[in-house]
Every structure is written in C-alpha cells, then in structure tokens.
Amino acid sequence: MPFLEDLYEATHENVQLAVRDGLEGRIAVLREPEGRGGSAFVHERLRVGETVRVRGPRNHFPLRPAGRYLFVAGGIGITPVLPMLRAVDAAGADWSLLHGGRTRGSMAFVDELTGRYGERVAVRPQDETGLLDLASYLGAPARDTAVYCCGPGPLLDAVERYCAANGWPEPRTERFQPKARASSPEAPFELVLARSGLTLSVPEQASVLETVRAAGVEVLFSCAEGTCGTCETDVLEGVPDHRDSLLTAEERAAGASMLICVSRCRGERLVLDL
C-alpha cells in the first residue's frame, strides 16, 4: 500500500500525487464534475498521509523504438506523455511536443516542460492561439517518425484523420473516453470459456464481461467502456466484433484478443482463454 507523500493543487483543475513504495510515481487527476466519482474522491477526500491501494501499472500506450517522435497532448493528456519525453530525451532521440489546452492556467506541467525542454515544447492554449494547427506541426510523413497523442476525443480523432489522409502510419493514441461508434446488431452467440470448462449464451442485452461474471468467473475490469484495456482477453476461436477504443487496426485484424466489456462476436461461437 503506497504512501501518499504529497497532495496539492497542480493547476485550477488538477491534483498531483507523489506515490512512494520503493519506487516513485506521479499521477495527475483532472477533476470531472460529470464523471463517475473517482476524480471527485481524489480532489475532495484524499489527504496527506493517507494510504491507497493501487494496481498495475498496465501499459497500453507503450513507447516503441523510432528514429524521431512527434508528441501531441491535449489538457490532462500530457500525463502519460511525460515519462515518454524523459525517456526519448535521455536516449538522445529527435523529438518535439505540441501541448494544447483550454487556457494556459488549466494546463498541467507547463512550467516544468518549458523549463526543462525549452523550444522542443510548443505550448498552444486555445484561448490564445485557437485549435492546434496539426497540419503545420505534423506536415508530410517522414521516414522512421512515430506520432503519439493523448487528450480529449476530438483531438485524437483529428490526429487520426490527418494521419490517415496524409499517408502517415496509424498514430499511437490513448483515450480517456470511448470513441463514438455507430450502433451494431446485438445478436446472441455461444461463448466457450476454455479454462473454466463452461459454455454460456451471451444474450442481446448483456456484454461478454457481464455474462462471464454472472457465471461466477472472476475477470479483472475497470472502465467497462473499452478504453483502459484491463479486461483484454485472448481469443482462441471465433472472430471478435471489436467495439473498443484501444486496439490498433493491426491488432483488431489479427483477432488474437478482445476487450470483453464492449466487444462481441461476428459469428455464432466464440472461445476465450478464461
């Protein structure tokens, strides 16, 4: 149970926590008044000296080797980008960051970033410069250059559209909210849990995760909306109907795993490693 070493206001809307238990970590939490209560708990209930239980970490936004990196962060989306910047900078890689937000005062870690990295970081608050100019920043695709982006859904959608329209490889993104998707048929299908020896029926009105848990099989899950990856499960047979906001196009095409909180089956039978 890590010890909360420090708790303070990082900006008008963000709380920063330093966690220590042999190792140190830092978590930035945006206060979301319309959320499910997690950020309100951090902002209103946690105090210096309290202990909290943590799980993980689970990294579904990995930094992969590349000759050059272009980072785009919107608002609190800067949080997972921070350790990436430290890693690529320490390795001597060529990189830059485009960091946007509603206002300069609402953007976390601005002083730290500009003070440490200087002109590699372009800070662009919307009330000062408008929406991020992705065309000027990304430009034409360059050899061995990777694009990483985290932030609000509209920003990630814009980055993905720009890359797809201009010949870039698929960018690596991390979302806090699921993509808006057209509704798909909710046909029932047979679900086989290979390790548990169970054959279940997934009805129209229930998810795979709900069906599995109702049968008494414990599965780790968190967001239940296809963004965090906690419930990712290996597929042994069948074709998943991917409805998540996490897996890449290549991972979906391979069909080796699925997020069972939202994804279903394209056929009549699915076998999972559960």
Side-chain angles (χ1 to χ4, degrees), residues 96-190:
S96 63
L97 166 68
L98 181 62
H99 183 19
R102 292 190 299 274
T103 66
R104 190 175 295 268
S106 71
M107 296 167 64
F109 310 112
V110 168
D111 292 341
E112 174 183 329
L113 288 165
T114 55
R116 183 170 185 173
Y117 300 121
E119 294 184 357
R120 285 182 180 268
V121 177
V123 177
R124 299 290 185 266
Q126 185 175 344
D127 64 338
E128 297 177 19
T129 61
L131 296 176
L132 294 180
D133 188 349
L134 297 177
S136 296
Y137 179 65
L138 297 175
R143 184 174 180 272
D144 199 24
T145 298
V147 177
Y148 285 77
C149 181
C150 183
L155 172 61
L156 272 63
D157 293 341
V159 170
E160 290 177 343
R161 285 196 302 269
Y162 183 88
C163 289
N166 291 276
W168 279 95
E170 184 179 9
R172 296 293 307 192
T173 61
E174 181 166 73
R175 292 177 178 267
F176 299 132
Q177 295 179 328
K179 290 182 180 180
R181 293 189 178 278
S183 59
S184 302
E186 303 290 347
F189 59 93
E190 182 180 85

Side-chain angles (χ1 to χ4, degrees), residues 170 238-242 244 247-257 266:
E170 184 179 9
V239 180
D241 178 8
H242 295 292
D244 65 275
L247 299 179
T248 65
E250 182 179 355
E251 290 167 337
R252 290 193 182 96
S257 67
R266 288 192 179 276

